[in-house]
Amino acid sequence: MDNSPPPADELVLVDRELAHIEARRTQLLARRAWLVQVLYQPVRAATPRWPAAPVTDATPRSAQNVLLTLGGTLLTIAAVAFTLVSWGSMGIGGRAAVLCAVTGAALAAPVALLRRGLGSTAESVAALGLVLTVLDAYALHRVALSDTDGLGYAAVVSAVLAGAWAAYGSALSRLRVPLPAAVVAAQLPLPLGVLAAGGGPTAFAWAALVTAAADGAAVLWGRPLPVRITAGVGAVLLGGWALLTGTRLSLSSPWSGAALLLAGAAVCLYAAWRAPAGAVAPSVVAGLAAVAAVGGPLRAALPADWAVPGYVLCALLLASVWRAGAGARLPHGVRTGLAGAGASVVALGLLWALPPVAAGALGPLTRTTGVWSGEHAGSALASYPATALLVLAVAAAALASVPRLWARCGVLVLVWALLTALPVSLGLPYAATLALQLLTAATALWTAVRPAPSTRGLPLPGTARGATGPGPGTTPETAAGTARGTKTAAGPAAPPVPGRTPSAADGPPARPATDPAAPTEPTEPTASGPAASGPSASGPVGRPAAASAGRSAPGSVPPPPSAPPQVPAAGSGVPRSGWASPSPRPQAPAAEPGTVLGRVAYAGGLVSAVDAVALALDVRGATFAALGVVLGLFAGVAVLGAGARRAVSACGAVLAATGLVLAGAAAAGLEDHWTALALLLVPAATAAVGATARPVALPVEITGAAVGLCALGLAGPRPAFLALALALGGVIAAATAVRPGRRPFASWAAAGLFLLAAWVRLGAWGVTTPEAYTLPVTVPVLVVGFLRRRRDPEASSWTAYGPGLAVTLLPSLGAAWTDPEWVRPLVLGVAALVVTLLGARFRLQALLLLGGTVLALDGLHELAPYVVQVVGALPRWLPPALAGLLLLAAGATYEQRLRDARRLRERLARMR
């Protein structure tokens, strides 16, 4: 059967293959040209390098400024010295002539200097002229107006100088010093005038506030940047002084301070309104001033305990502009600043209300009375204002109206704090305090298990600000369009090129990249890689390379070495771009509101439960009641909860049960060793619970094991009861080992506990023979090793038999060396001989070495007295002679001894 295609189809296939070969050849030629260019770059002619100019430490402009500054400073010092020191040596005419001439020259010189382009020199001379005007004013006061008041004269002079300097700076706009100097001088007239008129702190504060308002106007409408900066600094300093004075007055004279603070708040608010870019800071200051202004009269009208709640209420009203209808028309920066000011005052009020909360949470933990004494410790904050509860309640109610997760968490914390501080602030009796603590714990734990009611009105995580997903303004059509655009951009096919005429060399249409049958066709390279060719740069996309063999495309430029060639993807009909668009970075999913609120509520429930148990220790019946309630609460959370809260609650339930056992033992008057036996009921119960409660089995069993260790510590002083406790613990561990998941650890724990129980019992009986302690370990370990060797013949004898033999042989050897009798060394020698023979027979390295070593040391111990006697009877020269003969014999047979040692080592190495 002939499967060859028709001639026409075969011709198309041959043309296609030839076109592919030509395209590949063009790519290789372009790559070769690039490699040649890289390897054989022409050596550039060495150009003479002239020595570089030395690097200067300062630019000419900075050096000129330094020189001019120093010169102006020296001239200023000379003028001051002349005015203050040398003034009396000249007549009135000479004084006036000198000052007028120097001042006029200093103020007129910058005009000529600016015409010549000497701007820095003009600045220095102008600054000198401004200083001279101040000296002129001082000289005028000393000579002609010495009887006038100094403060009043300074106020008038500062106003005149401010106007003169402003006019001078406006006339010479290229000078940068006069206008800021005029702003500085303008800060003095009003404050100095008030001081000259005998005004008090209130009048001075009003003068400072008016001056600060004028500075603010200069900041808003002034054009030169130095003027605005200088005016801004003056506004901050004088306005801050005025507001601080108003705050101090609001404590002593509320109404006068309120007027000053409200005026300052109006100025700051107007500045924030006119400058939205920096509106937050002045809005915060305005809000704080408004709260202080309104809260001052309230503080004077209300009792002392209601002062802080009054300020907090004013702050909450201020913060409400963020959500009020009138506040929506305010600029965003103004709203943010006012809300921040109100929130800061509320935060300070909450700090003031924290001491009762701390006393309610930490008071039961710091006991000053005995357990079950019936006495109750008094509250250290009994005289603290009870209005702290009102602050907590009002803040919680305000946060409840904010549909945000952080606000809802704050509500939970504040409600818990309110319930915790309630007994301290109201002085509730003991029973009511304990009941309230248990009720708080129950409510918090129930909220942790079922947080759905506390999440009502909260936005979903996907619609929160900054979350991934469609925004609030996204329509279904927009989302669909986005999805279609993404799908089109990621698709494998490219749109057809207009004007493109398909040829026979193009082949069939390209298949999708997911088609496994798509042929691997070389694509034409781009101009961005070394495999670029001419048609890819100037011709239509998808056209194969020129059919002329051995000729690269004209105008193709190899890329630099830093740009590696692009490798076209197999199976694609069009070339891919060199850089793919980066995929969006995966973001961590936002936590569910219920999860976050559950964690917050659970933390409060834990603290309240601990406080309730600590408080209940005053009375015996209350202790049992509180532990029972806490046990039920934790058990309920362990059953109904999820995640870490379930595990922690299960552990808390075990601890509560432990407390009940201890309380029962104490009520029954049991001694510590009997209490230890009673505590073993807790690990037994946890082992039983762990067999059924799979999610919390491990933490419950670990907590029960910790309680068992505490029971062993209680039974320690009585060895007999300690042995019994160890044996009972071994029984519990053996029962736990029945479960497959706990078998590896629980089985070893059971064996260790049984062994420790036997050892403690032997010690209690006064047994000192080491074999009585070691043989119970050796026998089961050797049995386990034997079973393992049967299952795995390749297992090492050190792993299987080494530990078991070492446990008995080594302690027995140590006892034999100190035993004056002959029975123990004889029995040990026989046992070591048997072990050595078994090791040699079955080729077990551990048995051979351990047995041989113990046998040799045991024999040495037995022969040592006789060797000593023989050596003592021999002449003194005989031992050195025997040693010399031994060395001579070893040296003569050295090679043979080495071969014997190597053979012995190889035989030992072949043993298991």
Side-chain angles (χ1 to χ4, degrees):
M1 181 177 181
D2 188 9
N3 292 328
S4 60
D9 295 343
E10 186 175 0
L11 178 61
V12 172
L13 294 176
V14 170
D15 290 341
R16 185 182 303 166
E17 293 298 329
L18 289 175
H20 294 165
I21 293 172
E22 290 298 332
R24 181 59 179 165
R25 186 175 184 276
T26 303
Q27 294 176 2
L28 294 177
L29 287 175
R31 179 66 177 177
R32 181 182 181 278
W34 180 74
L35 293 174
V36 169
Q37 181 183 2
V38 172
L39 294 176
Y40 305 101
Q41 292 182 353
V43 182
R44 297 181 179 178
T47 57
R49 300 185 61 184
W50 299 96
V55 180
T56 58
D57 293 335
T59 61
R61 178 66 64 180
S62 61
Q64 180 188 15
N65 292 334
V66 171
L67 294 176
L68 292 173
T69 303
L70 290 176
T73 304
L74 293 176
L75 288 176
T76 302
I77 295 174
V80 173
F82 170 76
T83 305
L84 298 179
V85 178
S86 302
W87 187 257
S89 61
M90 300 179 64
I92 186 62
R95 302 170 190 174
V98 170
L99 282 179
C100 291
V102 174
T103 304
L107 294 178
V111 179
L113 293 175
L114 289 176
R115 291 176 182 174
R116 293 178 176 270
L118 303 176
S120 300
T121 307
E123 292 284 353
S124 300
V125 176
L128 177 61
L130 298 182
V131 175
L132 289 175
T133 56
V134 178
L135 296 177
D136 290 340
Y138 171 74
L140 180 62
H141 180 264
R142 289 288 303 272
V143 174
L145 302 175
S146 58
D147 296 334
T148 59
D149 180 47
L151 290 176
Y153 180 78
V156 175
V157 167
S158 59
V160 173
L161 289 179
W165 291 351
Y168 182 72
S170 301
L172 300 178
S173 58
R174 293 174 58 184
L175 296 178
R176 292 174 295 180
V177 176
L179 289 179
V183 174
V184 173
Q187 311 300 312
L188 304 176
L190 285 180
L192 293 179
V194 169
L195 293 179
T202 304
F204 184 84
W206 278 103
L209 181 61
V210 173
T211 306
D215 290 335
V219 172
L220 293 176
W221 291 293
R223 292 192 176 182
L225 183 60
V227 172
R228 299 175 61 186
I229 294 176
T230 308
V233 173
V236 170
L237 295 178
L238 293 178
W241 177 266
L243 293 178
L244 289 177
T245 304
T247 304
R248 182 177 59 83
L249 290 175
S250 67
L251 302 178
S252 58
S253 179
W255 292 105
S256 59
L260 183 60
L261 288 172
L262 288 177
V267 171
C268 293
L269 194 61
Y270 180 78
W273 192 293
R274 296 292 300 180
V280 177
S283 299
V284 170
V285 176
L288 294 176
V291 171
V294 179
L298 287 178
R299 179 178 175 274
L302 296 176
D305 293 347
W306 289 85
V308 175
Y311 282 107
V312 170
L313 290 175
C314 296
L316 289 176
L317 292 176
L318 180 65
S320 64
V321 301
W322 182 263
R323 296 181 54 83
R329 293 190 294 269
L330 295 175
H332 182 270
V334 175
R335 295 170 57 199
T336 303
L338 294 178
S344 61
V345 175
V346 173
L348 292 177
L350 292 177
L351 287 178
W352 174 80
L354 276 184
V357 180
L362 302 178
L365 302 180
T366 56
R367 299 195 57 82
T368 57
T369 58
V371 177
W372 291 358
S373 62
E375 299 178 358
H376 311 298
S379 176
L381 297 175
S383 60
Y384 203 83
T387 52
L389 301 176
L390 179 61
V391 172
L392 295 172
V394 170
L399 285 179
S401 63
V402 180
R404 292 291 183 270
L405 179 59
W406 61 267
R408 206 59 57 88
C409 294
V411 170
L412 292 180
V413 173
L414 290 177
V415 170
W416 174 84
L418 176 64
L419 295 177
T420 304
L422 193 62
V424 178
S425 298
L426 299 182
L428 297 180
Y430 174 78
T433 301
L434 180 60
L436 185 60
Q437 289 279 13
L438 292 175
L439 179 62
T440 303
T443 304
L445 293 177
W446 175 256
T447 305
V449 175
R450 294 291 183 268
S454 59
T455 61
R456 292 176 183 175
L458 293 180
L460 297 177
T463 60
R465 180 179 300 178
T468 305
T474 305
T475 60
E477 293 80 9
T478 306
T482 304
R484 287 194 300 271
T486 305
K487 183 176 180 181
T488 303
V497 179
R500 173 75 166 89
T501 304
S503 62
D506 290 334
R511 302 181 185 181
T514 56
D515 189 359
T520 304
E521 300 180 3
T523 61
E524 55 198 305
T526 63
S528 61
S533 60
S536 64
S538 59
V541 179
R543 181 176 297 177
S548 59
R551 182 166 52 89
S552 62
S556 61
V557 179
S562 60
Q566 299 291 336
V567 180
S572 61
V574 295
R576 294 189 304 178
S577 61
W579 297 97
S581 59
S583 57
R585 180 178 299 178
Q587 297 180 354
E592 292 291 335
T595 304
V596 178
L597 293 175
R599 293 171 182 172
V600 175
Y602 187 73
L606 285 180
V607 175
S608 296
V610 173
D611 289 340
V613 173
L615 185 64
L617 294 178
D618 291 346
V619 181
R620 177 182 301 181
T623 302
F624 285 98
L627 287 173
V629 173
V630 170
L631 175 61
L633 291 177
F634 281 146
V637 176
V639 173
L640 301 177
R645 293 190 291 273
R646 169 180 287 184
V648 175
S649 299
C651 297
V654 173
L655 295 179
T658 304
L660 282 174
V661 173
L662 289 174
L670 299 180
E671 298 182 3
D672 290 345
H673 51 276
W674 290 108
T675 303
L677 297 180
L679 275 181
L680 291 177
L681 295 174
V682 176
T686 56
V689 172
T692 56
R694 298 296 182 186
V696 295
L698 184 59
V700 165
E701 290 172 353
I702 291 176
T703 309
V707 174
L709 292 177
C710 296
L712 297 180
L714 288 176
R718 301 290 294 270
F721 282 90
L722 178 60
L724 179 59
L726 288 170
L728 293 177
V731 172
I732 297 172
T736 306
V738 176
R739 295 159 50 194
R742 300 289 184 265
R743 187 168 299 160
F745 178 79
S747 57
W748 286 102
L753 289 173
F754 283 131
L755 178 62
L756 290 176
W759 285 356
V760 171
R761 175 56 64 183
L762 290 175
W765 287 339
V767 177
T768 59
T769 304
E771 289 78 12
Y773 296 89
T774 58
L775 285 178
V777 180
T778 298
V779 174
V781 172
L782 291 178
V783 172
V784 172
F786 177 74
L787 295 177
R788 181 178 179 183
R789 287 277 299 173
R790 289 187 60 183
R791 185 172 64 253
D792 183 14
E794 299 297 326
S796 175
S797 61
W798 289 102
T799 305
Y801 304 116
L805 294 174
V807 165
T808 295
L809 292 179
L810 297 182
S812 299
L813 178 63
W817 274 64
T818 59
D819 193 355
E821 302 295 333
W822 60 272
V823 179
R824 187 190 302 276
L826 177 62
V827 175
L828 179 61
V830 172
L833 178 61
V834 173
V835 171
T836 304
L837 294 177
L838 288 176
R841 170 65 181 81
F842 295 102
R843 305 180 63 83
L844 298 176
Q845 189 180 106
L847 275 68
L848 182 62
L849 293 181
L850 283 176
T853 302
V854 173
L855 181 61
L857 294 176
D858 186 63
L860 179 63
H861 172 264
E862 294 301 315
L863 296 176
Y866 305 102
V867 172
V868 171
Q869 294 177 5
V870 171
V871 171
L874 292 176
R876 292 181 178 260
W877 56 267
L878 187 58
L882 293 177
L885 291 175
L886 182 61
L887 292 176
L888 289 175
T893 59
Y894 180 72
E895 298 295 336
Q896 182 64 32
R897 300 287 81 77
L898 285 180
R899 286 193 293 271
D900 293 342
R902 293 191 188 99
R903 192 179 300 111
L904 177 62
R905 185 182 62 185
E906 292 173 357
R907 289 181 179 178
L908 289 176
R910 286 194 296 268
M911 292 182 180
R912 289 292 178 183

